[in-house]
Amino acid sequence: MRLPKVLVIPGSIRAGSYNGRLAALAVKELALADAEVTHISLADYPLPIYDADEEARSGVPRNAVRLKQMMAAHDGVLITSPEYNASLAPLLKNAIDWVSRVREKDEPALAAYRGRVFSLASASPGRFGGVRSLLALRQVLEVGCGALVLPEQVCIPQAEHAFDEKGNLSNADAAGELRQLIRRLVELAGQIP
Ligand SMILES: Cc1cc2nc3c(=O)[nH]c(=O)nc-3n(C[C@H](O)[C@H](O)[C@H](O)COP(=O)(O)O)c2cc1C
């Protein structure tokens, strides 16, 4: 039996990013949960700010096509999302928007978002742990892009104190929630035909 393939996308490329650290931990937990994991950085898929005129002139950028193909090659996608002004950050939103514009051959629209399962987590120094970013991201993915998003999600508040020196979550409840989220993601990703 093949292992479910899960892609991990940190929504921040900041040095020392809390969402980068949460993504790295998720990668470790996914491997322990018997998933085949790919961990990417949006820094490797630089994209201009979406501009419909530019798209009409030059088409969808190659990096958007690469990112779409990377998503499409996986059964599950886990995104860790920073919160900016009670919403998702522009780096992540811009990548999602560009990928939503990719249409290869005769495939239906939004192919990268359909046929796989998404799972969301966030970390923030604030006391809400980025939950408002996940609500906005859920709307974008589910309502905007037609994705199936797990109802469970994990938000890590006061992220500057949340990780120990090994990169694990110091709070046992939070660590358990992440493990549970990942187990569910792997279970559902394993059912993708
Ligand atoms: C423009 C801007 C707006 C922000 N707004 C929020 C916010 O609404 N809620 C919050 O919890 N943190 C907010 N923050 C703080 C971010 O959560 C913090 O910078 C965090 O470290 C970003 O995630 P990262 O560590 O993964 O890069 C904001 C930061 C910036 C730069």
Side-chain angles (χ1 to χ4, degrees):
M1 200 187 75
R2 79 172 176 91
L3 299 181
K5 295 175 77 173
V6 177
L7 178 66
V8 176
I9 309 178
S12 169
I13 57 172
R14 185 179 73 82
S17 156
Y18 302 125
N19 288 281
R21 290 161 79 174
L22 187 56
L25 178 56
V27 167
K28 211 161 68 176
E29 294 290 350
L30 280 160
L32 290 172
D34 279 341
E36 191 183 321
V37 196
T38 312
H39 185 188
I40 61 167
S41 167
L42 292 176
D44 295 324
Y45 299 83
L47 288 163
I49 292 290
Y50 180 80
D51 173 349
D53 291 339
E54 181 54 27
E55 184 189 5
R57 269 191 302 271
S58 314
V60 175
R62 177 77 198 126
N63 280 335
V65 177
R66 286 177 58 231
L67 185 55
K68 178 263 177 186
Q69 289 171 343
M70 180 58 90
M71 287 165 65
H74 290 78
D75 308 302
V77 179
L78 187 148
I79 300 175
T80 59
S81 174
E83 180 170 289
Y84 280 8
N85 295 318
S87 190
L88 69 162
L91 174 77
L92 182 56
K93 178 64 163 61
N94 192 52
I96 291 171
D97 288 345
W98 268 122
V99 167
S100 76
R101 303 296 298 166
V102 179
R103 204 151 172 184
E104 295 186 287
K105 299 179 214 114
D106 298 327
E107 72 189 3
L110 301 169
Y113 297 105
R114 300 176 192 270
R116 56 201 41 79
V117 55
F118 286 76
S119 165
L120 312 181
S122 63
S124 142
R127 67 195 167 98
F128 300 125
V131 67
R132 297 167 302 180
S133 140
L134 296 194
L135 295 175
L137 177 56
R138 183 175 292 281
Q139 173 171 327
V140 169
L141 291 172
E142 284 184 347
V143 183
C145 301
L148 173 68
V149 183
L150 286 187
E152 301 90 343
Q153 58 187 28
V154 170
C155 300
I156 307 297
Q158 278 135 20
E160 68 275 41
H161 306 300
F163 298 91
D164 66 19
E165 66 288 346
K166 289 184 175 152
N168 294 315
L169 290 165
S170 334
N171 182 296
D173 289 344
E177 279 175 27
L178 181 67
R179 219 163 282 137
Q180 187 57 36
L181 180 77
I182 278 167
R183 246 184 249 134
R184 188 83 183 116
L185 173 61
V186 172
E187 185 187 328
L188 287 189
Q191 293 170 22
I192 300 290

